[in-house]
């Protein structure tokens, strides 16, 4: 169920920004990084290049997150970033994950600065972190 909700939210955000940028969905990504307070930063990217900082509610396309999706997503995303920090022995300021449309499912690309370290499906990623 968490995977289906995550797919719906993130693919909806990608679609929203693809329409705003007059781009194809495959050209738009959501970049997630950890900030200095261990919170999360979100950026919309086009062709893997940052375009604008956004909030989770922007991605959701809602002014109010009545169902609390952000509260559900934040621990999962922090756990994901922590997993890859450990796996690749990286500082949090060097690590980012990109969520992208991979055949109408969310794909995850793990980056160290501008170097792609790993591509994985959301489904496989959930298996990795025990969801």
């Amino acid at each position: 169920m968490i995977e289906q909700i995550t797919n719906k939210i993130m693919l909806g955000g990608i679609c929203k920004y693809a329409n705003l940028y007059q781009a194809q969905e495959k050209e738009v990504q959501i970049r997630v990084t950890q900030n200095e307070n261990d919170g999360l930063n979100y950026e919309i990217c086009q062709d893997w290049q940052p375009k604008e900082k956004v909030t989770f509610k922007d991605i959701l396309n809602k002014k109010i997150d009545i169902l609390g999706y952000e509260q559900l997503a934040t621990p999962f995303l922090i756990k994901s970033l922590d997993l890859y920090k450990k796996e690749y022995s990286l500082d949090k300021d060097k690590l980012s994950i990109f969520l992208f449309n991979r055949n109408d499912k969310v794909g995850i690309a793990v980056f160290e600065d501008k170097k792609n370290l790993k591509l994985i499906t959301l489904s496989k990623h959930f298996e990795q972190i025990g969801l």
Side-chain angles (χ1 to χ4, degrees):
M1 182 169 163
I2 293 173
E3 182 181 341
Q4 294 164 333
I5 292 170
T6 304
N7 262 310
K8 183 179 177 184
I9 291 168
M10 296 306 172
L11 291 177
I14 289 168
C15 180
K16 170 190 170 181
Y17 286 97
N19 287 334
L20 284 173
Y21 300 150
Q22 299 178 341
Q24 294 181 7
E25 287 183 30
K26 66 181 181 178
E27 298 171 337
V28 176
Q29 303 81 32
I30 299 170
R31 180 176 181 233
V32 183
T33 57
Q34 241 176 334
N35 63 33
E36 57 277 348
N37 299 324
D38 291 330
L40 297 176
N41 297 319
Y42 299 95
E43 290 179 283
I44 300 299
C45 300
Q46 186 173 3
D47 294 323
W48 307 94
Q49 301 303 309
K51 292 273 288 182
E52 67 178 292
K53 290 185 180 192
V54 296
T55 67
F56 191 85
K57 289 177 191 74
D58 294 330
I59 294 166
L60 247 163
N61 204 20
K62 305 280 184 202
K63 290 184 187 227
I64 300 172
D65 181 9
I66 295 171
L67 298 175
Y69 288 131
E70 185 171 13
Q71 290 178 339
L72 294 172
T74 299
F76 152 71
L77 290 167
I78 289 172
K79 186 174 183 177
S80 300
L81 287 163
D82 287 343
L83 171 82
Y84 294 123
K85 278 191 300 192
K86 289 176 187 161
E87 184 175 333
Y88 295 104
S89 301
L90 297 173
D91 293 330
K92 68 180 169 187
D93 61 327
K94 300 257 184 207
L95 175 70
S96 60
I97 58 174
F98 287 81
L99 307 172
F100 63 98
N101 186 335
R102 184 177 190 176
N103 301 321
D104 296 323
K105 302 240 183 236
V106 173
I108 298 173
V110 181
F111 275 77
E112 175 185 12
D113 291 326
K114 295 183 185 235
K115 179 182 175 188
N116 184 347
L117 301 173
K118 182 177 200 166
L119 290 174
I120 189 169
T121 64
L122 182 66
S123 178
K124 291 284 183 194
H125 177 69
F126 275 153
E127 287 176 21
Q128 252 186 335
I129 62 172
L131 288 179

